Amino acid sequence: MGLTRIPQKTGSAVLRFFAYFGQVVGLIGELAVTLFTCRPRVRLAGRQIVDIGFGSQLVVVVTGAFTGAVFAAQVYFKFSELGLGTATGPVVSLAMCRELGPVLAGIMVSGRVGAAMAAEIGTMKVTEQIDALRSMGISPVDYLVMPRVIGMFVSMPLLVAESVGFGILAGYVMVVHIFGVPAVWFEHQVVSNTTLPDIAIGMIKGFVFGGLIVLISCREGLYANRGAVGVGKATTAAVVISSLAILVSNLFLSFLLNHFFPLGSSGFDS
Amino acid sequence: MSQLEKSEYFIEVEGLKRNLGGRQVLDGVNINFQTGKCTVLLGRSGEGKSVLLKHLLGLMRPDSGSIRIDGEEITTLSERRMRPVRKKVGILFQDGALFDSMTIAENVAFPLQEEGIRNRKVLLEKAVEVLELVGLAEHVAKMPNDISGGMRKRVSLARAIITRPQCILYDEPTAGLDPVTADSIDQLIAHLADEFSITSVVVTHDLKSMHTVADRVAMLRSGKIYFDGTVKGLEASVDPVIVNFLDGNSEDEPDVFA
């Protein structure tokens, strides 16, 4: 009897996944339509840029810097044994640009901003404020989701850049000032081994992760129900699902982007 | 179209059905709301009164049946095409549903701002004008969380009438208020209905409220309209369900402790 329930449960989980996917795609569709029909809400979008971009700087910089520093230290310990201490710089820089910067910024922003979005929109949903908007003939996607999407798309690449920058800087401090590698070596190695495609990959990932966070968090908020418990669930789901989505999509994104910008070439001219 | 606009009924509901989570909440509702009159919709908690109200604005979609507002069928309209219809109808939500990130004045002026009025002075003037009508003009700068529940409902009412809708739907306007505040809300509803001949639909289980505002009264039970007529007709009824409801008698109801 227990066994027959396994396919049933699996089936319903699969269905739920596709329903969820459908809702997110539906939201994208509505946003696309809204893009052509909405009026510009400069003020709301501006506030979101401040909230998401300006407000997230501290967490993103701190995570980027400390990860860069500890990563540089670990790499240096092993590399110096092999006589490759001066190669630490490019390893840190490539790792920050291509993987760590965007993923760390994405995870931190999903925790800080995604949770807030889901909680705010979810509370508006359960207190009928969303219905009030609709009753006035205003689309919640136009009024609530669009400014957040704009805020996220503007902020995320910049936050990734900050995370990467401070990560490399912290690596520099670690390797040059603590382990005594000559600064010239570090600089030269980093600059000559970090190419435009490496930076582009980080920015593109930041863009994609930002999109995932804002879509998933807004979806969670808009579908919240059953009062305070529902808002709590929506907030948790927003952070968990968008963090997982970032980590999983990162793998595929890395392969896809490596195909266009192969590691070790300058990408654009090869 | 002009013929339809002069129709006797502003809202016509026919065979409305809606199943929510396996329960047939609306099971073939037929009711018409007279233009310029105030109809009170009675019913016990959980009988689907609020659900019916949300259908009238297209906030919820029926499984089957038809709703015509001002002659226009709305059940098949897309969210986008619904907008002009919604502008004809205002709604007062149960808990006010004020935007808690805005001041009272910003809340009230919000529908006008969305219609494209940008001048802040004009917006404030208009907001004060309707807030005076509900007796709250001195509270313009406060936040929704800093005022009482009754005041929130009045602010919400001011927000609903600022665009001069032809019809207002009230979802339990007096629920959770003290008797004096409740009466002041009832007086406001009656005043708006008489003064501006606004078609009003008041969902409530407050019988005192019904006496103050109703031109007509309908009762919802088991997903259907159980009674539809005048207040006198309702009170003269010998139907046990209606008598029990009016007397607040739970004897014949299934035992809640069973």
Side-chain angles (χ1 to χ4, degrees):
Chain A
M1 202 167 93
L3 273 179
T4 57
R5 298 196 60 182
I6 294 173
Q8 215 177 40
K9 291 234 165 175
T10 320
S12 78
V14 170
L15 282 181
R16 271 206 308 276
F17 172 78
F18 280 109
Y20 194 95
F21 195 71
Q23 285 159 357
V24 173
V25 172
L27 191 56
I28 296 174
E30 248 183 279
L31 278 165
V33 176
T34 306
L35 204 58
F36 296 102
T37 55
C38 73
R39 74 162 87 136
R41 299 182 184 278
V42 180
R43 222 203 239 175
L44 289 179
R47 193 186 300 162
Q48 290 300 327
I49 293 174
V50 172
D51 267 5
I52 301 169
F54 195 73
S56 302
Q57 285 187 102
L58 185 66
V59 276
V60 165
V61 164
V62 170
T63 26
F66 277 84
T67 309
V70 79
F71 187 69
Q74 297 285 25
V75 170
Y76 180 81
F77 293 145
K78 195 66 202 170
F79 272 31
S80 59
E81 268 177 39
L82 306 168
L84 290 168
T86 51
T88 305
V91 173
V92 172
S93 138
L94 287 194
M96 285 308 298
C97 283
R98 286 180 168 246
E99 303 295 337
L100 292 175
V103 169
L104 287 173
I107 304 255
M108 293 320 281
V109 169
S110 84
R112 194 187 158 275
V113 179
M117 280 182 189
E120 192 178 339
I121 297 179
T123 305
M124 290 185 74
K125 172 77 192 304
V126 301
T127 55
E128 296 184 315
Q129 292 178 53
I130 302 266
D131 276 343
L133 274 178
R134 291 173 63 206
S135 78
M136 296 171 199
I138 300 160
S139 147
V141 172
D142 172 9
Y143 188 77
L144 295 171
V145 181
M146 200 53 157
R148 285 168 170 77
V149 169
I150 294 170
M152 191 61 100
F153 279 157
V154 171
S155 307
M156 225 10 221
L158 295 173
L159 289 172
V160 169
E162 266 187 316
S163 167
V164 170
F166 277 88
I168 297 174
L169 197 66
Y172 173 91
V173 171
M174 207 64 179
V175 174
V176 173
H177 292 284
I178 298 184
F179 301 131
V181 171
V184 193
W185 266 113
F186 187 96
E187 280 161 27
H188 174 74
Q189 292 277 34
V190 166
V191 171
S192 59
N193 283 300
T194 310
T195 55
L196 202 53
D198 297 322
I199 295 167
I201 284 177
M203 300 295 108
I204 293 169
K205 281 186 173 178
F207 210 69
V208 174
F209 295 164
L212 286 172
I213 296 167
V214 74
L215 286 173
I216 290 169
S217 305
C218 290
R219 183 269 166 211
E220 287 302 329
L222 288 173
Y223 283 83
N225 56 16
R226 302 202 183 109
V229 180
V231 175
K233 277 193 181 153
T235 310
T236 310
V239 177
V240 171
I241 297 175
S242 55
S243 304
L244 290 179
I246 286 171
L247 293 170
V248 173
S249 69
N250 182 47
L251 176 68
F252 297 100
L253 212 51
S254 289
F255 278 109
L256 186 73
L257 291 170
N258 277 357
H259 181 72
F260 290 111
F261 308 119
L263 199 66
S265 83
S266 66
F268 288 125
D269 49 17
S270 69
Chain B
M1 193 68 197
S2 61
Q3 193 190 349
L4 284 172
E5 273 169 15
K6 288 194 187 92
S7 155
E8 188 186 352
Y9 299 112
F10 190 76
I11 304 177
E12 293 157 291
V13 181
E14 222 182 291
L16 200 66
K17 288 193 180 180
R18 176 67 196 255
N19 190 304
L20 282 175
R23 202 167 75 90
Q24 197 66 39
V25 179
L26 302 179
D27 191 15
V29 173
N30 296 300
I31 188 169
N32 297 326
F33 298 100
Q34 278 172 293
T35 308
K37 290 279 194 286
C38 182
T39 309
V40 166
L41 200 56
L42 288 177
R44 299 183 52 207
S45 303
E47 289 281 14
K49 304 186 298 289
S50 298
V51 172
L52 175 58
L53 211 59
K54 285 192 176 169
H55 277 84
L56 297 184
L57 255 183
L59 297 175
M60 291 174 100
R61 301 292 177 134
D63 297 327
S64 66
S66 123
I67 301 167
R68 279 187 301 280
I69 290 184
D70 209 1
E72 191 173 0
E73 175 68 46
I74 65 156
T75 48
T76 51
L77 287 183
S78 68
E79 189 81 3
R80 209 163 294 280
R81 302 255 313 275
M82 189 87 80
R83 274 176 213 167
V85 181
R86 284 185 178 150
K87 292 205 166 147
K88 296 180 191 171
V89 184
I91 182 165
L92 176 71
F93 287 96
Q94 211 162 43
D95 296 310
L98 297 176
F99 302 118
D100 40 27
S101 57
M102 303 179 190
T103 66
I104 303 302
E106 284 166 344
N107 258 292
V108 173
F110 184 74
L112 289 182
Q113 197 183 343
E114 280 299 311
E115 280 178 7
I117 300 178
R118 280 280 175 266
N119 188 328
R120 294 186 70 80
K121 218 179 120 198
V122 175
L123 285 173
L124 185 65
E125 270 170 22
K126 298 253 183 195
V128 170
E129 196 180 301
V130 281
L131 279 168
E132 259 164 17
L133 216 56
V134 298
L136 288 174
E138 68 272 30
H139 298 285
V140 282
K142 288 193 179 155
M143 299 302 282
N145 284 324
D146 300 333
I147 59 175
S148 71
M151 283 154 94
R152 272 205 289 278
K153 282 196 179 170
R154 282 191 280 165
V155 173
S156 185
L157 186 53
R159 184 177 68 181
I161 58 177
I162 197 165
T163 50
R164 313 256 164 212
Q166 292 160 260
C167 169
I168 301 181
L169 312 176
Y170 301 88
D171 192 358
E172 311 241 355
T174 58
L177 301 180
D178 68 85
V180 180
T181 314
D183 186 60
S184 75
I185 299 249
D186 289 337
Q187 299 293 348
L188 253 167
I189 295 172
H191 175 74
L192 287 171
D194 294 344
E195 189 90 339
F196 306 104
S197 55
I198 293 174
T199 309
S200 309
V201 179
V202 183
V203 158
T204 188
H205 44 230
D206 182 344
L207 296 173
K208 187 168 176 299
S209 183
M210 171 187 80
H211 281 110
T212 316
V213 301
D215 293 315
R216 217 174 116 241
V217 57
M219 186 170 163
L220 196 63
R221 185 180 156 90
S222 308
K224 290 191 172 71
I225 298 297
Y226 192 80
F227 175 90
D228 189 355
T230 59
V231 177
K232 276 200 179 122
L234 183 81
E235 286 177 331
S237 171
V238 289
D239 186 298
V241 171
I242 295 175
V243 172
N244 277 344
F245 183 85
L246 295 180
D247 293 348
N249 188 348
S250 68
E251 259 168 37
D252 296 337
E253 294 297 326
D255 192 350
V256 286
F257 298 111

